[in-house]
Amino acid sequence: MEKSSLDADCALNMVLVEEKKGHLIPNGNAHQGVNGTLNGGPAATGAISAVEKRQGYPERETWTRQMDFIMSCVGFAVGLGNVWRFPYLCYKNGGGVFLIPYVLFIFLGGIPIFFLEIALGQFMKAGSINVWNIAPLFKGLGFASMVIVFFCNTYYIMVLAWGFYYLIKSFNSTLPWSTCDNPWNSENCIEIFHHSDCHNGTIGNSTFGNMTCEELANGRSPIIEFWENKVLNISDGLDQPGVINWEMVLCLMAVWVMVYFCVWKGVKSTGKIVYVTATFPYVVLIILLVRGVTLPGAYDGILYYVKPDWSKLGEAQVWIDAGTQIFFSYAIGLGALTALGSYNRFNNDCYKDAFVLAFINSGTSFFSGFVVFSILGFMASEQGVDISKVAESGPGLAFIAYPKAISMMPVAPVWAALFFIMLLLLGLDSQFVGVEGFVTGILDLFPGKYYMRYQREIAVAICCLLCFIIDLSMVTQGGMYVFQLFDYYSASGMTLLWQAFWECVVVAWVYGADRFMDDIARMIGYRPFPWIKWCWSFITPCVCMGIFLFHLLNYKPLTYNNVYVYPWWGEVIGWCMALSSMLCIPVSLVYKLAGAKGTFRERWESLTKPVWGGHHLEYMAPDTDIKSLTSLSPGTEENKVIIFESVM
């Protein structure tokens, strides 16, 4: 013990004085002692990292190159929602007018919280749970994000399994969803029906017989029958699980194996894989756009997408949709961004990264709309119907509308294979980064003394296996009902908004917005623009709570295809999933306060005192008063940044 103390005293033997031109970077705001506790105890203060090396504990990994972090964030945040949700919302909510509230919410909610999560992970060098050592009383925030990302990892991969199944079926000379002569087709199946062929209430094509247009309206498209009868083999309700679809089980297993080998070695391997999974979808999107704009009807489809309808700005739903889409597409509240940020170098400019990533994310969403609606315009033209009849969002776009449009193209299997490869890669990097975030949070809970060889590989395997077992309920005949239950409740807009609200409140009002701005300045070398602090303190929490209350007041029971209404016990299960994450915050807070000693004020002060890690010693000077530093004039000789380095 005495030797450790001696090592610690000897370790703090070098002071690096670095001048920051034109910027005042306050340092050492008494983070030790009164304002915080150092992990490992006072005896190990200066040489924690050296002691860890000597005892064989692994250091926290960092990205090989900073571009690895950028690509991982792009891969995680840019996902299926950018392609299948944003274009539909833009079309539905007034075309180009929708961009006004959308861009507004980017700066009022998206970027501030996106930056907050990355900066928090980078500063604390921890995953989604231990990052809240910055205010230990609110560690329930970390557990809440872990619950949400676990649910996401569990059900999101089903989209990849379906996409993988479609991809395999694309390697046929005739796409199986383009014809009605398959075993799963019913007698109501009709391949293509042109409204222009309908004369005087009847159709002249003898294939359909002498049927009226109204009778033909009851016909079913082969793609819908392929989706519902073959892929899902859907039952009549949640209470009828039916049998397991073994083809889908094999697809699910294949996707989970891919995810495992993308994550098992940590960020060193993940950072390389995302160069393919994050960039190749853009290549496919460009190819599909070039093909789409050359098709008849593409111009009309794109016009529907961007044509402004100014009257929509007066509707509350348009603003709510814009705000909700930001939180969905920026992957806020899941803890994965925090985990990715924790592998950054301490001095990485995460402020600049946040703006770059926001631009890429939203730019991809807008660009995807041209790809989607050029193809949908072609399909509407071929069928002789209005674009509103074929516009879809979510799985309906990915597995019904788009495949149907592709089946009408020349060389359809090639375009189908390209589309589903893009779909698979878009979802795959979001999936394995989500698993990475979950595993990072779990492993951070175990101190170094519990470290064992192959610990990461075993943890990833257990996570994947557990999720796979739960996923078996979604490859049954009633699996789609289970999938929708997870999608609607477990990682819904309400849970993410609740999480984002508390993140802002804790950082801005419990830890202190000014204090965290000082910490960011230590990392990146300058202070972010003050509007970030204003957003954390006032604007973003109000936006989050406003949209949250709107969702709550306008809650509608879950349905499937607007026909099947879920039973009451199904909704109870759904609300249990939603509350399992939302209640982590208040329950953890009450439990910690009840277990502490002293008056309420003493308990509060004790439980909100930050717990620092060993790495903070290199960047925070002890026994330095922040007020004396903030009083210095920028640009003078006294304006220096004092950094203590741990050196053996």
Side-chain angles (χ1 to χ4, degrees):
M1 185 69 167
E2 291 176 1
K3 190 176 187 307
S4 295
S5 180
L6 181 61
D7 287 343
D9 292 337
C10 294
L12 298 174
N13 62 0
M14 186 171 79
V15 179
L16 174 64
V17 181
E18 179 184 353
E19 185 173 4
K20 297 292 182 182
K21 302 292 184 183
H23 295 288
L24 175 64
I25 314 300
N27 202 346
N29 56 343
H31 277 295
Q32 329 282 330
V34 176
N35 286 342
T37 306
L38 184 68
N39 270 334
T45 53
I48 283 181
S49 58
V51 171
E52 285 179 351
K53 288 179 183 177
R54 188 166 64 248
Q55 293 179 350
Y57 299 160
E59 287 187 336
R60 191 170 192 85
E61 291 180 289
T62 55
W63 302 105
T64 307
R65 289 180 296 273
Q66 195 53 35
M67 186 54 70
D68 295 356
F69 166 70
I70 297 291
M71 298 305 292
S72 295
C73 285
V74 169
F76 179 62
V78 177
L80 298 172
N82 299 74
V83 175
W84 74 20
R85 194 166 187 267
F86 175 84
Y88 178 77
L89 288 178
C90 197
Y91 149 74
K92 189 186 83 168
N93 291 310
V97 168
F98 182 69
L99 295 177
I100 295 174
Y102 181 79
V103 171
L104 193 62
F105 280 121
I106 287 175
F107 290 98
L108 297 183
I111 291 177
I113 303 183
F114 193 88
F115 172 53
L116 172 67
E117 293 194 358
I118 293 175
L120 206 53
Q122 182 172 310
F123 179 65
M124 295 299 291
K125 290 287 183 184
S128 56
I129 295 178
N130 280 358
V131 77
W132 294 105
N133 280 336
I134 201 167
L137 180 60
F138 293 89
K139 219 168 182 177
L141 268 166
F143 291 104
S145 65
M146 290 287 282
V147 172
I148 296 173
V149 81
F150 176 77
F151 283 141
C152 274
N153 292 340
T154 302
Y155 83 87
Y156 187 82
I157 201 166
M158 282 307 304
V159 179
L160 307 186
W162 294 329
F164 189 61
Y165 184 76
Y166 270 80
L167 177 61
I168 293 171
K169 294 295 183 181
S170 298
F171 295 105
N172 289 292
S173 57
T174 302
L175 295 176
W177 57 81
S178 63
T179 62
C180 286
D181 54 2
N182 303 290
W184 58 81
N185 292 127
S186 68
E187 58 184 16
N188 293 326
C189 180
I190 300 174
E191 291 182 15
I192 297 179
F193 168 56
H194 296 275
H195 284 250
S196 57
D197 293 334
C198 198
H199 302 290
N200 299 323
T202 61
I203 189 164
N205 193 331
S206 60
T207 305
F208 301 111
N210 192 24
M211 299 174 66
T212 65
C213 290
E214 283 97 319
E215 289 171 332
L216 283 169
N218 296 324
R220 288 168 60 82
S221 167
I223 180 61
I224 292 177
E225 295 206 335
F226 177 78
W227 170 242
E228 293 189 347
N229 299 348
K230 178 63 177 171
V231 179
L232 301 179
N233 192 17
I234 196 164
S235 66
D236 292 330
L238 185 63
D239 56 343
Q240 299 178 28
V243 297
I244 288 179
N245 184 337
W246 290 105
E247 285 184 317
M248 289 308 306
V249 171
L250 292 176
C251 290
L252 180 65
M253 189 181 300
V255 177
W256 268 122
V257 169
M258 283 189 275
V259 170
Y260 176 78
F261 285 108
C262 287
V263 178
W264 72 321
K265 289 298 183 184
V267 296
K268 299 295 184 186
S269 59
T270 304
K272 306 298 178 291
I273 295 166
V274 290
Y275 279 90
V276 176
T277 59
T279 56
F280 187 71
Y282 287 96
V283 176
V284 179
L285 278 172
I286 293 170
I287 294 172
L288 290 173
L289 177 64
V290 171
R291 177 58 183 144
V293 295
T294 60
L295 294 169
Y299 174 77
D300 293 330
I302 292 173
L303 195 61
Y304 263 92
Y305 170 51
V306 297
K307 185 179 179 181
D309 180 0
W310 296 100
S311 64
K312 291 284 187 179
L313 279 179
E315 298 179 13
Q317 187 63 49
V318 174
W319 294 82
I320 298 301
D321 282 346
T324 306
Q325 174 61 17
I326 288 295
F327 286 93
F328 271 126
S329 66
Y330 279 47
I332 288 167
L334 301 176
L337 292 174
T338 304
L340 294 178
S342 72
Y343 297 118
N344 278 335
R345 293 176 294 104
F346 190 83
N347 296 114
N348 172 60
D349 193 346
C350 53
Y351 183 58
K352 179 186 68 178
D353 291 346
F355 280 89
V356 170
L357 291 166
F359 174 78
I360 293 172
N361 193 318
S362 297
T364 303
S365 296
F366 188 62
F367 176 72
S368 300
F370 291 95
V371 179
V372 170
F373 272 85
S374 63
I375 303 292
L376 293 182
F378 161 71
M379 185 168 74
S381 174
E382 286 292 294
Q383 292 183 294
V385 297
D386 189 82
I387 189 75
S388 60
K389 302 294 183 183
V390 296
E392 292 274 1
S393 70
L397 173 68
F399 301 114
I400 296 176
Y402 215 91
K404 183 176 181 179
I406 287 173
S407 68
M408 298 176 181
M409 295 183 190
V411 203
V414 173
W415 300 110
L418 269 177
F419 174 74
F420 287 111
I421 288 172
M422 179 197 72
L423 198 74
L424 193 62
L425 292 180
L426 270 176
L428 189 62
D429 45 17
S430 297
Q431 178 71 25
F432 69 65
V433 173
V435 173
E436 171 67 44
F438 181 79
V439 171
T440 298
I442 293 294
L443 293 180
D444 281 351
L445 292 176
F446 296 95
K449 62 182 179 180
Y450 294 111
Y451 174 76
M452 57 178 283
R453 197 179 180 189
Y454 303 121
Q455 165 177 282
R456 161 172 282 277
E457 290 87 340
I458 294 170
V460 174
I462 293 172
C463 172
C464 292
L465 182 62
L466 181 59
C467 291
F468 174 77
I469 292 170
I470 297 173
D471 286 333
L472 291 177
S473 65
M474 301 184 203
V475 292
T476 62
Q477 288 177 283
M480 187 60 180
Y481 302 109
V482 179
F483 173 84
Q484 273 209 323
L485 208 57
F486 272 81
D487 185 46
Y488 194 74
Y489 290 101
S490 67
S492 65
M494 283 198 295
T495 56
L496 299 180
L497 290 162
W498 177 259
Q499 182 79 3
F501 169 80
W502 282 105
E503 285 180 7
C504 290
V505 168
V506 172
V507 170
W509 296 101
V510 178
Y511 181 73
D514 285 316
R515 191 178 177 188
F516 192 55
M517 291 284 276
D518 292 342
D519 296 333
I520 292 170
R522 287 187 187 88
M523 292 194 295
I524 66 177
Y526 61 92
R527 296 178 68 87
F529 194 66
W531 73 267
I532 287 280
K533 181 182 73 174
W534 302 332
C535 286
W536 290 341
S537 303
F538 305 104
I539 302 171
T540 306
C542 291
V543 168
C544 292
M545 190 49 62
I547 300 175
F548 174 84
L549 292 174
F550 183 90
H551 277 293
L552 198 61
L553 296 173
N554 291 275
Y555 168 77
K556 295 177 182 177
L558 179 59
T559 62
Y560 177 72
N561 274 354
N562 295 320
V563 176
Y564 174 75
V565 180
Y566 278 65
W568 66 268
W569 54 269
E571 286 199 61
V572 169
I573 294 173
W575 276 108
C576 286
M577 287 193 288
L579 293 174
S580 64
S581 63
M582 295 170 69
L583 289 179
C584 283
I585 303 165
V587 168
S588 172
L589 187 146
V590 171
Y591 175 78
K592 284 178 177 288
L593 283 174
K597 295 180 180 179
T599 64
F600 178 81
R601 182 170 182 175
E602 289 171 342
R603 297 182 191 190
W604 179 271
E605 290 179 353
S606 172
L607 292 171
T608 55
K609 184 186 297 181
V611 179
W612 302 117
H615 69 281
H616 289 107
L617 278 172
E618 300 181 25
Y619 306 100
M620 294 181 178
D623 305 321
T624 306
D625 184 10
I626 187 173
K627 292 181 180 178
S628 65
L629 284 170
T630 54
S631 64
L632 299 177
S633 302
T636 65
E637 284 299 316
E638 299 159 315
N639 185 8
K640 306 286 186 181
V641 178
I642 302 174
I643 304 174
F644 279 73
E645 292 190 346
S646 299
V647 183
M648 292 303 295

